Amino acid sequence: MPSLLATAGAKADLSQYNEEVECSDERDGWETIVMDGHTYGVRTSGMDEKGQAFETLVIYCSTLGPRFAPFLGPTLEVMLPCLRFYFHEGVREACVMLVPMLLACGKQSGTLTNQMVAFHQLITCINTEHDATFLASLYKYFTESLRVIGGPEALSQQFHGAVMEATKRQLHAIADRRKVRAARVNGTGGPMSMSMGMGEYDRDEMALVEEIEDFALEDVGKMLMCFDPNHPLLVAVAGMRDLGFNTYDSDEDGEEEE
């Protein structure tokens, strides 16, 4: 187990590219990514090993249950920072999947002393996440974690307020993005959108993005219902589909059927 945790906790092997010429050709075994305006080369083998290590931890924790307790603390210590490991989506997915498993392990074994640390990290990630796919995972496993500790009543008022504020922020962000897409499709997005035009590839790509957002919104709704089946934000979630450009496709389909 120590070697597995060491692999899971390994830092990314990075090279930062300063010149466009330097990163024009990807080196064998390295992947080029752009983050925060900087271009990096990441050694893929190291990232794959890290991802496999976390996937193995998921298997161990789910299989052993409370018997995983001796490794609970070290796993949390390695796992929580990796919720923000943007270089490998598989790592982040395995980490967020581990959260409710580790909480259940700690609850069943009586060894978890500060479960709110995990919720703090989840809420922080929800507040700043831009990727709709991972946002869906964050909400899904936040809700599962909430059920593990006994439901919304077990969550402090501070964290309750924080996750609701983070959710409002995400709903506003999704709404803004959908309005921009709808305006672009409808030709009302200003001179830039008019000059760029809309190709079929653009429409298909945006439709896929909105479909992924719909999955995230579904998980947002499930979390809100866990707090209150009549939560006021559920109205906002339900109204999101009307903001997307896909509503135009529905209108067109209806006209064709007529």
Side-chain angles (χ1 to χ4, degrees), residues 2-247:
S3 60
L4 184 63
L5 289 170
T7 302
K11 294 183 178 180
D13 190 353
L14 293 176
S15 291
Q16 183 174 349
Y17 299 132
N18 297 318
E19 301 292 339
E20 292 184 6
V21 176
E22 186 179 352
C23 62
S24 59
D25 296 322
E26 288 191 4
R27 290 180 288 172
D28 187 33
W30 292 71
E31 181 180 350
T32 301
I33 64 170
V34 178
M35 189 172 67
D36 296 332
H38 299 288
T39 304
Y40 298 92
V42 186
R43 189 168 67 86
T44 54
S45 61
M47 296 303 94
D48 291 340
E49 290 169 3
K50 186 180 180 77
Q52 290 168 6
F54 273 112
E55 289 171 4
T56 303
L57 286 170
V58 168
I59 294 171
Y60 283 172
C61 188
S62 63
T63 303
L64 295 174
R67 290 175 293 169
F68 191 79
F71 312 106
L72 177 60
T75 303
L76 276 170
E77 186 177 344
V78 169
M79 177 271 291
L80 289 176
C82 288
L83 288 169
R84 292 171 167 272
F85 192 80
Y86 301 109
F87 303 109
H88 195 287
E89 288 305 312
V91 169
R92 294 212 294 164
E93 286 291 343
C95 286
V96 74
M97 192 183 302
L98 267 171
V99 176
M101 293 182 183
L102 292 173
L103 290 175
C105 169
K107 183 177 181 180
Q108 293 166 8
S109 61
T111 56
L112 188 62
T113 56
N114 191 3
Q115 59 194 16
M116 291 304 155
V117 172
F119 283 96
H120 172 72
Q121 288 291 339
L122 286 175
I123 294 169
T124 300
C125 289
I126 287 173
N127 189 52
T128 58
E129 186 56 48
H130 297 289
D131 179 68
T133 301
F134 191 62
L135 184 65
S137 296
L138 285 168
Y139 274 105
K140 176 182 178 180
Y141 293 109
F142 179 92
T143 305
E144 287 191 14
S145 299
L146 200 59
R147 293 189 177 117
V148 168
I149 66 169
E153 298 79 12
L155 197 66
S156 70
Q157 192 61 37
Q158 176 188 357
F159 287 124
H160 176 277
V163 74
M164 291 306 161
E165 286 302 315
T167 299
K168 290 177 185 177
R169 182 181 182 280
Q170 286 293 348
L171 291 175
H172 279 301
I174 293 173
D176 288 343
R177 290 195 294 269
R178 292 194 162 197
K179 289 175 183 177
V180 169
R181 292 188 206 111
R184 184 179 176 192
V185 172
N186 204 33
T188 59
M192 181 62 72
S193 67
M194 294 291 287
S195 63
M196 290 175 64
M198 278 294 300
E200 284 303 314
Y201 175 78
D202 293 326
R203 292 179 66 90
D204 291 344
E205 187 176 27
M206 287 195 294
L208 178 60
V209 170
E210 290 203 352
E211 185 177 358
I212 294 171
E213 287 176 350
D214 284 339
F215 287 126
L217 289 168
E218 185 177 340
D219 284 301
V220 172
K222 289 177 181 178
M223 183 210 70
L224 292 171
M225 289 188 69
C226 186
F227 280 95
D228 180 0
N230 298 309
H231 199 286
L233 285 179
L234 286 169
V235 177
V237 172
M240 284 293 170
R241 291 189 65 86
D242 296 333
L243 296 176
F245 90 96
N246 279 327
T247 56

